[in-house]
Amino acid sequence: MSSNNLKFKIEGMTCAACSGIIEKETRLLKGVESAEVNFATESAEFKTGEGFDLETFHALLKKLGYRAIDPNAKSEQNNDTIFNSDFIKAAIAIVLASITMFFAMVVPNNTIQAILTTILLFGFGWPYVKAVIGFHSNMNTLIGLGVLSSYLYSIYLIFASPHAHPYFEGGAFIIAFSLVGHYLDGLAKTKARNNLSSLYKMQIKFASLVVDGKEINTPVVDLKVGDVIRLRPGEKFPLDGEIIVGETHADESMLTGESQAIAKSVGSKVFAGSMNLEGSVTIKITATLHSTFISEIVHFVEKAQLKKAPIQQYADKIVKIFVPIILLIAALTFVVWYLMTKDLGFSLTHMIAVLVIACPCALGLAVPMAIMLSTSEAAKNGLLISGGDIVEKGSHIDTIVFDKTGTLTEGRPELTEIVVFDTAYTEEALLKMAASSLQYSTHPLSQSVAHAAVKKDVKLADPDKFKSLTGLGIVAELNSKKLALGNADLLKQEGVEGAIPESFYKAHVGSYVFLSIDQKLAAAFVITDPIKNEARTLISNLHSLGINVWMLTGDHQGVAYKIGSELGITPEFIRAGVKPVGKADFVSELQTKGHKVAMIGDGINDAPALAKADLSIAMSNGSDVALEASEVSLLDGKILLVGDFFARSKRTMRIIKENLLLSSLYNILCIPLAAGVFYPWTKMSLTPMWASLAMGLSSFSVIINSFRVKKL
């Protein structure tokens, strides 16, 4: 039986420990081969095989206190707005807790306090009570134990010592502040998830389906491959398709991150979410709603966010043992203080404060929240990163190797100069003869000469005779003249008169197509591959990040050094005349010297080097990209995104370390304070009420700090 990948949205997770529990327990089920759960995105992916039973799977999650639902399904609760159900719960809880405090401090009435706290505990704090009853090892358990301890002790005091001050208001505010913290966390996480889901929102709901010449307003979800739809200026393309009637310009900024008009005509591909800027066009649908290119990008990024960065292992190890350790510390706090003071209320207060203030959430969110925001923001700009592990790997890269053609250069040779040796002919005449003879050759250099003639509106003629000579060039006859077009070896073979002066190669750097007419050297066509406009800026940016930049090329040294000088790459970082297999060997050579190497290429001939490198970056154009096969993909060939990736990786890892430090310091400092460690000397300690507020704000601070990854 083949493996299946099941994706779910997980409801009921309250802290990072929850994701670990789900992973651990589901992996024990028969047929579950792997489990990846992300607390920050509230998503999960399970790889299942033979023997897997879906009902057993759902039953286990229900027993654990969670629910797995279809990721495309709408949640029962709408938490996408500020004034959502979590806000209402928190607001009501704050009001009830405040009234409870009023009847504790201003007009003492233990009965009203008990009634209000009971409503709060079992009406709003039931998830905390349920966690204790179910012996769950998560943050809710700690809060539940703290609240129940406070509540039960207060009930005991009402009957055992009616004149004593109970702790109802403390338990009430623990619930209220915990709900406020949950609301703030949920709001921030929703905003983070919307950073990616905004790509989906680009798609429209209805389209004009053409049937028998008539337009029918049809839901996009009902359209299928092969359907024909019509769009007017200003409308968005609802699905991927191909233009069959009309011409227009499209804004594909949702793919490239840049708003620019791209010409579209019959046969052109169009993509869901892009804007039809002008002209009425008819397109044939080539992909359904959940198989469009924009959907593939979203699925790619969602999968990437489930891949953990190695640094997260540190946080995961702590989170797994966090709750048991806190329970032990809380118990010791109670025992030590009771033995020292014989004051049950005082000891219980410090124990509750420890239970409430301890927060594994901040630690658990430190890595995945930053990764989620970083990868989703990158995707919106056309930079696809395949996982948190790749972000971390990118931060360690110290050397980048570029394959010149197609990455630093356009990859489209252009005729830049015609050098005339026989002054009996004009440049235009020479170009006409050369282009007429080369127009049927498929060699890139031949095509560049022919294209140059077409651009100058030179009228071409058909040669009388034509023969292609592999590795040399072509020979032809045109208007009774014998022509030879190719490299210097062809001139020798054809016995052409006139040597090519040595000064020619120094003065004209590039690739050459020599032309002889009736065995006499007549001209040389100098062809170069134009440097991309952004390439020099990219090299400068990479150098500023402290990264060494190497350029490999199969061209001869003269061409390589000339391009290197224009880009700001010195000769010692250039290798010329390198064959495809040699690129992989060079990457290995750098690695043996201790360098962490990234390789950037755009063709099949770069595959060995890309596979050998510590990190591979693939260039692509439009939708022509194999997403699953790439560690990092640059959509639409935007070379500046290479620098963006490395800057983003370094910044993301810096923020992750800040998050880990923040969350660790919070627990290291606050838990002793709540336990009353400093009380004998400073008379300072945290009450359970303020401990619950601090707990809620700790994870919120980590989330807010993570949002800084969006600003490069």
Side-chain angles (χ1 to χ4, degrees), residues 308-622:
K308 296 179 180 179
I311 196 172
Q312 192 168 338
Q313 294 175 2
Y314 157 77
D316 287 347
K317 287 177 181 177
I318 295 176
V319 167
K320 283 180 181 179
I321 60 173
F322 189 87
V323 173
I325 288 176
I326 294 304
L327 290 174
L328 179 61
I329 292 173
L332 287 173
T333 299
F334 175 80
V335 170
V336 170
W337 277 118
Y338 188 73
L339 291 174
M340 290 174 61
T341 66
K342 304 301 180 182
D343 187 332
L344 182 62
F346 184 84
S347 305
L348 196 62
T349 297
H350 283 88
M351 182 195 79
I352 294 169
V354 170
L355 289 171
V356 172
I357 204 167
C359 183
C361 279
L363 199 59
L365 285 170
V367 180
M369 182 58 67
I371 294 294
M372 177 177 71
L373 286 166
S374 182
T375 53
S376 57
E377 185 68 17
K380 289 171 66 176
N381 292 302
L383 173 63
L384 302 185
I385 306 170
S386 65
D389 54 333
I390 304 303
V391 173
E392 183 169 348
K393 191 186 291 185
S395 69
H396 299 311
I397 294 297
D398 60 20
T399 303
I400 301 176
V401 178
F402 283 91
D403 174 52
K404 174 187 72 68
T405 305
T407 54
L408 298 173
T409 64
E410 295 289 353
R412 297 188 299 270
E414 293 182 2
L415 176 64
T416 53
E417 189 179 4
I418 301 175
V419 180
V420 180
F421 294 120
D422 190 342
T423 55
Y425 299 97
T426 64
E427 280 192 15
E428 185 176 346
L430 292 166
L431 179 59
K432 181 175 181 177
M433 282 188 281
S436 296
S437 302
L438 294 170
Q439 62 182 308
Y440 298 115
S441 171
T442 57
H443 193 282
L445 298 184
S446 299
Q447 289 296 305
S448 64
V449 174
H451 289 159
V454 172
K455 283 183 180 178
K456 294 184 178 182
D457 295 323
V458 175
K459 190 175 181 181
L460 304 183
D462 285 328
D464 300 317
K465 291 182 180 180
F466 174 90
K467 184 179 180 182
S468 177
L469 303 174
T470 303
L472 297 172
I474 67 107
V475 291
E477 283 189 20
L478 181 68
N479 297 330
S480 301
K481 296 182 183 296
K482 292 184 177 180
L483 309 179
L485 288 128
N487 55 28
D489 291 336
L490 176 64
L491 300 183
K492 291 178 183 178
Q493 179 175 299
E494 295 297 310
V496 173
E497 298 176 8
I500 301 168
E502 192 63 35
S503 59
F504 167 80
Y505 292 106
K506 293 180 180 179
H508 310 283
V509 178
S511 299
Y512 314 109
V513 175
F514 295 103
L515 167 64
S516 70
I517 303 174
D518 293 330
Q519 294 186 305
K520 183 179 179 182
L521 182 61
F525 297 89
V526 182
I527 298 164
T528 58
D529 188 2
I531 293 173
K532 290 184 176 179
N533 294 330
E534 309 89 351
R536 186 175 181 83
T537 301
L538 168 64
I539 301 303
S540 176
N541 291 345
L542 292 173
H543 283 154
S544 68
L545 291 171
I547 298 175
N548 296 319
V549 180
W550 284 85
M551 184 182 78
L552 305 184
T553 178
D555 290 334
H556 59 75
Q557 195 174 79
V559 173
Y561 284 2
K562 180 176 183 294
I563 291 174
S565 66
E566 293 179 21
L567 290 171
I569 303 175
T570 53
E572 61 265 32
F573 287 96
I574 297 172
R575 290 287 178 93
V578 180
K579 290 181 170 59
V581 67
K583 297 173 187 176
D585 292 338
F586 180 69
V587 169
S588 296
E589 181 184 329
L590 290 172
Q591 289 171 327
T592 56
K593 294 178 181 178
H595 293 292
K596 295 294 183 182
V597 184
M599 175 70 191
I600 304 170
D602 75 329
I604 294 175
N605 64 341
D606 299 323
L610 288 168
K612 188 69 179 176
D614 297 295
L615 176 71
S616 61
I617 301 178
M619 301 284 293
S620 63
N621 291 300

Side-chain angles (χ1 to χ4, degrees), residues 36-49:
E36 297 290 342
V37 182
N38 189 314
F39 171 56
T41 61
E42 296 179 359
S43 59
E45 183 171 348
F46 302 91
K47 187 176 181 181
T48 63

